[in-house]
Amino acid sequence: MLILLSITLLIIGLREYKRTRNLLWGMFILCSSLFILYSAIEGIIIKSHVLISQNQVILFLINLPS
């Protein structure tokens, strides 16, 4: 969802810059979209890392000798 939001903001920022040639708002929206994209990708990476760690713990507990 955040990736789609960042792509939408990226398009809006480019259109705003082309329409008004106002560098301030165009760059603000572009920077916002890049930050949201970075946050979304970092969240995905952290979530997958946590899932891998949890699976390793579960597999370790399953394979413990009785």
Side-chain angles (χ1 to χ4, degrees), residues 5-20:
L5 175 65
S6 68
I7 292 170
T8 304
L9 282 176
L10 181 69
I11 293 170
I12 290 171
L14 291 173
R15 285 179 57 198
E16 183 69 22
Y17 175 70
K18 283 178 70 175
R19 186 175 64 92
T20 62

Side-chain angles (χ1 to χ4, degrees), residues 2-3 6 31-45:
L2 287 175
I3 292 173
S6 68
C31 289
S32 298
S33 70
L34 292 176
F35 176 72
I36 292 171
L37 181 65
Y38 170 76
S39 299
I41 292 173
E42 186 179 11
I44 291 169
I45 291 171

